[in-house]
């Protein structure tokens, strides 16, 4: 079954609706589970609310798991029969040509845990591993970023104002503000640090916000000129990379069958500096899997 333009727009509207509702849930539950307390008090009050995944520094909270269940329930009602791949509960590849939803209930879980206001709900719709629609809801900022393939990218503010997104017209990579991020394993971090050490002197500055989905939306909205990271999972980039692409950024994503273990590159970069920024990455070893 071919997914046409109108279908992709409708998928993006569904993603917006559910991401906004889920973001509200995340905000409400953060206050209920963790309050405004500092780390010590929070840890003492609710040790059962946080556990770890791939490494001791890779957290998952009760709010991650319950928010993914919330999103899955909403999708089952609005899109019965579609496959779902989620960060916390996994999922399959989906049938050829059919829609698969790719869900990160909280991208930026470490920020969520510490109360750093940069975490988001990310919901992408893919067909054969290619993103065709998606939304990223900034929980604290209240903006929902969205796109459909061929339909452009937009930001919907908390007050309902909608604006089209365009990546920056920057022409000199030496003036680029570059967002990046790091995996949870020590070995990958060593390799990522080595690449970054070579990129840093060649650009304006770097930012490590802590949410790849929001980093990609920052490129889309002109708050950063590039974002790159190796080893992201599909749920980190499925929506945000499409939003950056539809805002005019040059985008590279891991292949449809890739997973985070491959250490493949995800890149979104303002179009007029793309070729030269990719050369900077190549010189730093950043086009290889890390
Ligand atoms: C993480 C964030 C972070 C990135 C990590 C991701 P999570 O996602 O996107 O910015 O650097 O690689 O794993 O764990 O908070 O959903």
């Amino acid at each position: 079954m071919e997914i046409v333009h109108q279908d992709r727009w409708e998928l993006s509207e569904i993603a917006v609706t559910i991401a906004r509702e889920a973001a509200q849930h995340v905000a409400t539950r953060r206050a209920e589970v963790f309050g405004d307390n500092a780390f010590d008090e929070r840890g003492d009050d609710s040790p059962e609310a946080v556990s770890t995944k791939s490494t001791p520094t890779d957290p998952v909270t009760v709010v991650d798991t319950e928010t993914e269940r919330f999103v899955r329930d909403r999708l089952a009602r609005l899109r019965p029969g579609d496959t779902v791949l989620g960060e916390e509960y996994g999922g399959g590849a989906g049938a050829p040509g059919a829609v698969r939803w790719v869900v990160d209930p909280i991208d930026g879980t470490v920020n969520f845990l510490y109360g750093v206001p940069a975490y988001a709900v990310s919901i992408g719709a893919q067909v054969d591993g290619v993103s065709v629609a998606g939304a990223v809801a900034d929980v604290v900022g209240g903006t929902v970023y969205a796109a459909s393939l061929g339909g452009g990218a937009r930001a919907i503010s908390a007050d309902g104002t909608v604006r089209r997104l365009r990546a920056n017209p920057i022409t000199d990579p030496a003036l680029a503000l570059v967002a990046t991020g790091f995996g949870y394993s020590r070995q990958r971090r060593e390799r990522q640090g080595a690449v970054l050490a070579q990129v840093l002197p060649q650009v304006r500055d770097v930012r490590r916000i802590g949410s790849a989905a929001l980093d990609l939306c920052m490129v889309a909205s002109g708050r950063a000129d590039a974002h790159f990271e190796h080893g992201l999972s599909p749920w980190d980039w499925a929506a945000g990379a499409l939003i950056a692409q539809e805002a005019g950024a040059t985008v590279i994503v891991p292949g449809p069958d890739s997973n985070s273990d491959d250490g493949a590159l995800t890149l979104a970069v303002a179009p007029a500096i793309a070729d030269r920024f990719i050369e900077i990455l190549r010189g730093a070893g950043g086009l290889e899997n890390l």
Side-chain angles (χ1 to χ4, degrees):
M1 183 190 70
E2 195 198 350
I3 307 285
V4 297
H5 196 277
Q6 178 63 23
D7 296 335
R8 297 193 291 257
W9 175 264
E10 284 167 15
L11 292 172
S12 81
E13 289 287 277
I14 289 170
V16 167
T17 301
I18 300 178
R20 186 185 284 122
E21 292 172 358
Q24 186 55 55
H25 177 83
V26 170
T28 303
R29 291 293 288 143
R30 187 174 195 286
E32 288 170 2
V33 176
F34 299 124
D36 292 328
N37 293 339
F39 190 86
D40 285 350
E41 293 166 64
R42 188 173 66 235
D44 290 347
D45 284 352
S46 50
E48 73 288 350
V50 186
S51 52
T52 59
K53 294 191 290 186
S54 61
T55 72
T57 55
D58 179 7
V60 56
T61 74
V62 289
V63 187
D64 292 76
T65 50
E66 68 187 31
T67 303
E68 184 168 323
R69 282 202 301 274
F70 173 90
V71 171
R72 283 174 181 269
D73 287 351
R74 295 289 284 126
L75 284 170
R77 239 173 293 154
L78 294 174
R79 296 281 307 181
D82 287 354
T83 304
V84 181
L85 170 69
E87 175 167 20
E88 313 307 341
Y89 290 103
V99 173
R100 174 180 75 164
W101 295 91
V102 183
V103 177
D104 194 339
I106 304 179
D107 185 59
T109 302
V110 174
N111 286 341
F112 174 78
L113 201 54
Y114 278 75
V116 177
Y119 44 92
V121 178
S122 175
I123 301 177
Q126 293 188 328
V127 175
D128 300 327
V130 175
S131 297
V132 297
V136 173
D138 176 344
V139 174
V140 179
T143 297
V144 183
Y145 302 88
S148 58
L149 184 62
R154 59 198 187 280
I156 307 139
S157 305
D159 67 2
T161 311
V162 181
R163 70 191 159 91
R164 278 190 85 83
L165 297 175
R166 292 309 298 166
N168 277 338
I170 182 173
T171 56
D172 183 355
L175 299 180
L177 184 61
V178 177
T180 191
F182 311 110
Y184 289 106
S185 91
R186 178 185 175 138
Q187 291 78 5
R188 178 167 291 150
R189 284 169 166 250
E190 284 173 356
R191 296 190 285 271
Q192 290 175 312
V195 169
L196 186 59
Q198 293 191 56
V199 172
L200 177 59
Q202 303 186 65
V203 299
R204 180 194 293 273
D205 207 348
V206 297
R207 293 288 181 272
R208 198 294 192 245
I209 302 292
S211 163
L214 287 177
D215 287 339
L216 290 160
C217 294
M218 285 173 63
V219 175
S221 60
R223 288 185 170 150
D225 301 305
H227 165 74
F228 76 96
E229 181 169 343
H230 297 79
L232 288 179
S233 297
W235 43 81
D236 297 316
W237 59 260
L242 178 68
I243 293 165
Q245 178 183 306
E246 287 294 323
T250 298
V251 168
I252 295 172
V253 293
D257 301 321
S258 175
N259 64 46
S260 68
D261 292 341
D262 302 335
L265 173 69
T266 299
L267 169 70
V269 53
I273 60 166
D275 290 348
R276 280 170 296 157
F277 187 73
I278 288 170
E279 284 315 305
I280 290 172
L281 277 181
R282 186 192 308 283
L287 294 190
E288 289 156 30
N289 289 7
L290 297 182

